[in-house]
Amino acid sequence: SFPALRHWTPTVHTMRNGIAAMTMLVSATLLVFTTWSGAASNNLEARFASSTSSRCFTPMARTLQRSVSANAGDLFMKKFQVVGTDHNVALEGKTVNFQLGKDGSKSLDVPANIEVRVPRSNVVIVASKEKEAVTSFSADIQALKKDSGKEGIRRVGKGVKQIDTLDPVHTKKLKLIGVGYRAAVKGNTIVLNLGYSHPITLPILDGVKIETPSNTDLVLTSKDAWAVGQMAYNIREWRKPEPYKGKGIRFEGEKIIMKEGKRKK
């Protein structure tokens, strides 16, 4: 008697069954995902804990560790610069004499456990195996005339550094690349054959020693960092590396960005 209702009733039951099936499927999926994510999280925490127990992944911590190990040495050192017009310093025996402009001249006696170097007329280096001795004598030096910004005794760097030696040897290595390129040391000069119509003869700067393990290899050493760098610059300027064939004078480890030459059509 109700054909429309009899026709609609199976459709309603079908929709209810479909909704129930989808609900069960979603519930099962959520349960599986929750279980998997919990296990993965526990595994990740365990791996991270075992890794961080032996070392730290923090970039700052790695940087600090490298800097501390790089500065490790047997001597403690502090460096000062005398700044201003008519300001200079000189070392005479065990006495350091300061000329401080309008403040006149002042002197300090060097203690027995302190070593003082004056590499230039405006630089003072204080070193000792005892950190407290360096700190104490450095305070005496700075007390002579505080740095006003324009003149005075200025501290170079922060704190007390640890070094291996007061006389480090600086090295520069050069390599000659090119057909017929060669070098030879003759007395106090170095003779370079670099493809020119005549050999190049350069005087060797004071304090610089040049060795030639081979005709195309140069090893420059000096206790003066400026001198060895300037000498290497003087040599390299005569034939800088060119980017097409790579010929020239290179520093050790120097990389040249090569260019492609023009092709014939």
Side-chain angles (χ1 to χ4, degrees):
S1 59
F2 299 96
L5 182 60
R6 287 197 302 269
H7 179 72
W8 179 254
T9 301
T11 305
V12 172
H13 289 298
T14 303
M15 291 179 63
R16 289 177 179 175
N17 293 336
I19 293 174
M22 290 180 63
T23 304
M24 294 178 62
L25 179 62
V26 171
S27 300
T29 304
L30 289 175
L31 180 62
V32 172
F33 178 76
T34 304
T35 305
W36 175 84
S37 61
S41 177
N42 294 334
N43 187 23
L44 180 61
E45 290 178 0
R47 291 175 58 187
F48 184 77
S50 62
S51 301
T52 53
S53 61
S54 59
R55 60 174 181 168
C56 181
F57 284 90
T58 308
M60 181 60 70
R62 292 203 302 268
T63 303
L64 291 176
Q65 185 177 4
R66 284 198 299 267
S67 64
V68 170
S69 60
N71 291 335
D74 297 330
L75 292 175
F76 295 94
M77 183 268 289
K78 204 165 185 178
K79 188 175 182 180
F80 297 94
Q81 185 176 10
V82 182
V83 182
T85 305
D86 296 330
H87 284 60
N88 55 67
V89 61
L91 179 64
E92 297 180 2
K94 298 292 289 184
T95 303
V96 188
N97 298 320
F98 292 87
Q99 187 66 35
L100 302 175
K102 296 180 181 180
D103 293 348
S105 59
K106 297 182 180 180
S107 301
L108 284 176
D109 293 330
V110 181
N113 57 347
I114 292 289
E115 185 173 358
V116 175
R117 297 287 181 88
V118 182
R120 292 188 292 275
S121 61
N122 65 335
V123 175
V124 184
I125 298 176
V126 180
S128 175
K129 291 186 177 181
E130 302 175 10
K131 185 176 181 180
E132 293 77 9
V134 173
T135 304
S136 177
F137 192 69
S138 298
D140 294 339
I141 291 177
Q142 282 192 293
L144 295 177
K145 188 172 184 178
K146 294 184 178 180
D147 182 19
S148 64
K150 294 184 178 180
E151 60 182 22
I153 300 177
R154 181 176 300 170
R155 180 186 64 188
V156 179
K158 294 183 178 180
V160 179
K161 293 184 179 180
Q162 282 186 267
I163 58 175
D164 293 324
T165 176
L166 278 175
D167 301 311
V169 177
H170 304 277
T171 304
K172 293 285 186 181
K173 294 183 179 181
L174 299 174
K175 188 170 185 64
L176 282 62
I177 300 176
V179 178
Y181 289 11
R182 60 185 185 274
V185 177
K186 295 184 178 180
N188 199 30
T189 62
I190 180 168
V191 181
L192 304 171
N193 289 276
L194 302 173
Y196 295 110
S197 60
H198 59 283
I200 308 298
T201 302
L202 298 176
I204 300 176
L205 298 180
D206 294 339
V208 178
K209 182 181 179 181
I210 300 180
E211 297 178 351
T212 54
S214 66
N215 292 337
T216 58
D217 292 318
L218 297 175
V219 180
L220 290 71
T221 56
S222 176
K223 293 181 180 180
D224 189 343
W226 174 87
V228 70
Q230 184 64 42
M231 191 67 223
Y233 172 83
N234 294 345
I235 295 173
R236 187 175 181 272
E237 279 296 295
W238 281 98
R239 185 68 80 176
K240 292 182 179 181
E242 52 91 13
Y244 295 101
K245 294 184 179 180
K247 296 191 301 181
I249 303 175
R250 299 187 188 184
F251 288 108
E252 183 184 38
E254 181 180 5
K255 295 182 180 180
I256 305 300
I257 300 177
M258 305 300 291
K259 297 181 180 180
E260 185 177 359
K262 295 182 179 179
R263 296 181 180 179
K264 294 183 179 181
K265 295 182 180 180

